[in-house]
Amino acid sequence: MTLGHCTREKDVMALLRSGGWPAACEPELREHVAGCSLCAQAVLLKSAFADALAQAKSEARLQAPGVVWWRAQLRRRNAAVKRVNRPLAGAQWFALLINLLAAVALLASQWRHMDRLRSWFSEVADAPVFHPVALWSMAARQPGWNLMVLIPFAVAFVILGGITVYLASER
Amino acid sequence: MIWDYSIARVETGVDAQDAAQPMDSEAFAGFYQRSARSLWAYLARVSGNPVLADDLMQEAYLRFLGAAHLPDGEVACRRYLFRIATNLMRDHWRRPRTSSIDELPETLFSVGDGSAASDAQVMLGPALAQMRPRDRQLLWLAYAENYTHTEIAEITGLKSTSVRLLLFRARRKVARLLCNETSAERGCA
């Protein structure tokens, strides 16, 4: 494809950019533009786009630069938190994986004892001590058993409550 | 508390090079005041959607401020900003869930307040609506922002020679459209 080119187009464009068209244009150049389709095209386009630019600029609803700056800072901060969190998350996944592997290894090592374990569980389940009514009557007969149930519950409650309060205050 | 300490360390210590602020808030405010209207005009006229232009402009500035290194000088910074905006617009059009710019109604490209607009601009809206998005970008950068072919190539990621050819075609097409509309009303020179 042959690209059209006019040697005077640069002069015309320079005048258009400086805002000198048509007032500061020499008559000779104006005559040239009237006869040159490429330069006339440049004048038409430049005028149309300059007007469109001025109109669009007046339509723009800009935010305050401080708001944009603040959002950018927030984004940088979040990115920094994410960067710091990344190795921690990695360590957590690694720990989980190690625990799972340990659990699988333990199960595999104890596999041959499974039958004995199952029979032991069935015996334990049938034992009267695991029936709530029997347990209640046994605890009623021995007052020390109430404390044995109550104290671990109370300790667990205090520890979990402390952790919850600590995490809440951190946030 | 813990994170504040860690973040402070990240920003001032180990990753200082990444986190160093390339522009302070006062310099940014000045740059923003000088560049934001032009950038919005570019985004709004090329995309044909003022709401999208608002979103993309904000994102462009956020990415601009998030850059680890900014080019030297305001002209280069401005060009870099336009490049970010151009890439954002391209990404938006590529996203399948959003509507393509080619599907946008033609009225989006028309001027809102006709009384304030000149004849040429009233005609430019419909003419641009018939152009491809890339042609609109090239024309706007060349004729509204006065960028050279090399600068347009840098902003759009195209080769300079391709810009010349594409711009020539786009210019011929839009001039023909403008002439058709003008001649329909009062005749084109």
Side-chain angles (χ1 to χ4, degrees):
Chain A
M1 170 181 258
T2 310
L3 302 185
H5 179 69
C6 173
T7 51
R8 306 300 306 274
E9 198 182 333
K10 274 190 177 173
D11 300 333
V12 175
M13 287 303 285
L15 263 178
L16 286 165
R17 281 172 191 156
S18 64
W21 177 270
C25 180
E26 290 172 9
E28 180 261 328
L29 186 60
R30 205 177 300 177
E31 273 178 32
H32 167 79
V33 171
C36 173
S37 63
L38 283 172
C39 290
Q41 206 176 67
V43 169
L44 177 72
L45 286 184
K46 182 64 194 159
S47 308
F49 276 93
D51 288 347
L53 176 65
Q55 175 69 23
K57 277 183 172 181
S58 69
E59 287 170 14
R61 301 174 303 271
L62 301 185
Q63 290 182 324
V67 175
V68 180
W69 177 264
W70 176 77
R71 282 192 181 140
Q73 296 308 308
L74 202 66
R75 186 177 280 194
R76 287 172 73 86
R77 194 185 163 89
N78 289 342
V81 169
K82 207 177 269 181
R83 264 206 307 274
V84 171
N85 266 335
R86 209 173 295 144
L88 288 179
Q92 281 172 348
W93 279 111
F94 181 72
L96 182 68
L97 188 71
I98 292 292
N99 278 306
L100 283 174
L101 283 176
V104 169
L106 183 72
L107 277 175
S109 68
Q110 297 299 317
W111 190 252
R112 56 199 172 90
H113 303 301
M114 270 302 158
D115 287 339
R116 214 169 54 187
L117 203 63
R118 205 177 296 131
S119 63
W120 181 77
F121 267 120
S122 60
E123 282 172 23
V124 166
D126 292 338
V129 76
F130 280 95
H131 290 289
V133 178
L135 190 66
W136 182 253
S137 63
M138 191 161 59
R141 269 184 270 130
Q142 300 178 13
W145 277 62
N146 282 334
L147 282 178
M148 281 177 68
V149 174
L150 193 65
I151 288 170
F153 269 104
V155 169
F157 182 77
V158 167
I159 289 171
L160 288 175
I163 291 170
T164 309
V165 169
Y166 173 74
L167 289 176
S169 66
E170 270 294 297
R171 277 161 206 266
Chain B
M1 283 175 275
I2 295 167
W3 297 131
D4 287 347
Y5 169 73
S6 306
I7 292 163
R9 270 199 64 208
V10 167
E11 289 192 342
T12 58
V14 186
D15 291 339
Q17 199 179 357
D18 284 347
Q21 197 71 44
M23 191 182 262
D24 64 41
S25 65
E26 280 181 25
F28 172 72
F31 176 71
Y32 181 84
Q33 297 290 358
R34 288 187 294 275
S35 60
R37 287 190 184 278
S38 295
L39 183 67
W40 189 87
Y42 169 59
L43 290 167
R45 287 296 180 262
V46 173
S47 73
N49 186 345
V51 178
L52 176 66
D54 287 341
D55 292 346
L56 293 184
M57 186 174 80
Q58 180 178 293
E59 184 59 28
Y61 276 108
L62 291 181
R63 291 195 185 187
F64 174 81
L65 283 171
H69 300 286
L70 289 178
D72 292 332
E74 176 148 346
V75 175
C77 278
R78 199 182 159 97
R79 218 161 40 222
Y80 180 54
L81 184 68
F82 270 77
R83 197 170 82 193
I84 295 172
T86 302
N87 289 339
L88 285 172
M89 218 162 9
R90 191 184 303 143
D91 290 348
H92 177 80
W93 291 330
R94 278 180 183 165
R95 241 174 278 159
R97 60 188 170 80
T98 54
S99 59
S100 160
I101 193 160
D102 297 321
E103 295 161 18
L104 290 173
E106 204 170 298
T107 50
L108 277 172
F109 294 95
S110 61
V111 184
D113 181 11
S115 61
S118 69
D119 290 351
Q121 200 224 329
V122 169
M123 289 179 301
L124 188 63
L128 281 181
Q130 295 177 54
M131 306 291 291
R132 288 183 307 166
R134 190 172 61 187
D135 292 343
R136 283 199 288 271
Q137 277 179 340
L138 296 175
L139 286 167
W140 190 271
L141 291 171
Y143 291 99
E145 291 296 329
N146 297 324
Y147 280 123
T148 63
H149 292 170
T150 316
E151 287 171 325
I152 294 172
E154 194 186 315
I155 290 169
T156 56
L158 296 167
K159 284 182 186 168
S160 189
T161 46
S162 307
V163 169
R164 188 158 179 256
L165 180 64
L166 291 168
L167 196 54
F168 176 77
R169 286 178 184 158
R171 170 184 151 157
R172 205 173 50 180
K173 187 177 174 186
V174 79
R176 197 175 58 237
L177 290 168
L178 281 175
C179 274
N180 286 345
E181 287 173 26
T182 314
S183 56
E185 287 183 18
R186 63 182 179 212
C188 189

